[in-house]
Amino acid sequence: SKSTTLLFPRFQQWDAVTKLTEAASVEGPGHRYLIQHSAGSGKTNSIAWTAHQLSSLHDAAGKKVFDSVIVVTDRTVLDDQLQDAIYQIDHKSGVVVPITKGSGESKSAALTKALTDRAQIIIVTIQTFPFALKAIRTSGALVGRSFAIIADEAHSSQTGNTSAKLKHVLSPD
């Protein structure tokens, strides 16, 4: 047997996701937004809902705003938790691409392939980005593309060398 549950967002989750997607639709790529959550307030679901909304977001002219949505976290446990939450929203094959060990290729190669293939939602740990930096920079297929990055900044690794490299990869230049 199969069991399904309908999950309704809390008001602050609905409000944050709605306002963020509306702003991204109007303003387009290249802007930064901050959503603050307290412990136990549903951050994982907010990230999952935001990722799905942004992955199908179109501007007023009908053009897709982001080629891919990349969900970045700093710990594998959280990465697995986010994957589960995002998979629960959409079960279609290929919508969500997790960058994990054991796929037969390096994580940086898998990330570059997912970006090149325009995967709708990509889930990856922050530690993968420094190794993918060169591949991302040299891939001509990624020139002119727009990506939405959802970074879970609740943990201390956001201030270190890895985070600096991630921010460098994501900069407009």
Side-chain angles (χ1 to χ4, degrees), residues 48-71:
W49 291 323
T50 301
H52 278 283
Q53 291 294 318
L54 293 178
S55 73
S56 61
L57 186 64
H58 290 76
D59 62 16
K63 182 180 181 281
K64 195 167 182 186
V65 177
F66 302 106
D67 293 293
S68 297
V69 176
I70 305 168
V71 180

Side-chain angles (χ1 to χ4, degrees), residues 9-22 35:
R10 297 173 184 144
F11 175 77
Q12 77 271 10
Q13 292 171 305
W14 173 84
D15 190 46
V17 172
T18 301
K19 286 179 179 175
L20 194 144
T21 53
E22 286 174 356
I35 298 176

Side-chain angles (χ1 to χ4, degrees), residues 70-84:
I70 305 168
V71 180
V72 182
T73 186
D74 67 342
R75 292 190 292 182
T76 305
V77 174
L78 293 172
D79 190 46
D80 293 340
Q81 183 181 3
L82 279 169
Q83 284 180 39
D84 291 344

Side-chain angles (χ1 to χ4, degrees), residues 39-131:
S41 64
K43 178 180 65 171
T44 298
N45 285 332
S46 294
I47 290 171
W49 291 323
T50 301
H52 278 283
Q53 291 294 318
L54 293 178
S55 73
S56 61
L57 186 64
H58 290 76
D59 62 16
K63 182 180 181 281
K64 195 167 182 186
V65 177
F66 302 106
D67 293 293
S68 297
V69 176
I70 305 168
V71 180
V72 182
T73 186
D74 67 342
R75 292 190 292 182
T76 305
V77 174
L78 293 172
D79 190 46
D80 293 340
Q81 183 181 3
L82 279 169
Q83 284 180 39
D84 291 344
I86 293 171
Y87 275 129
Q88 289 174 10
I89 295 173
D90 196 338
H91 301 290
K92 293 178 195 160
S93 179
V95 172
V96 180
V97 177
I99 307 299
T100 58
K101 291 181 183 176
S103 62
E105 60 187 339
S106 72
K107 288 173 71 175
S108 58
L111 175 59
T112 303
K113 182 179 180 343
L115 291 170
T116 304
D117 292 347
R118 296 178 193 255
Q120 287 184 24
I121 301 172
I122 303 165
I123 306 170
V124 65
T125 57
I126 193 171
Q127 292 83 1
T128 302
F129 272 86
F131 300 104

Side-chain angles (χ1 to χ4, degrees), residues 156-173:
S156 61
S157 70
Q158 293 296 322
T159 60
N161 189 37
T162 304
S163 179
K165 288 182 181 179
L166 171 64
K167 289 174 185 172
H168 182 73
V169 170
L170 303 177
S171 69
D173 298 331

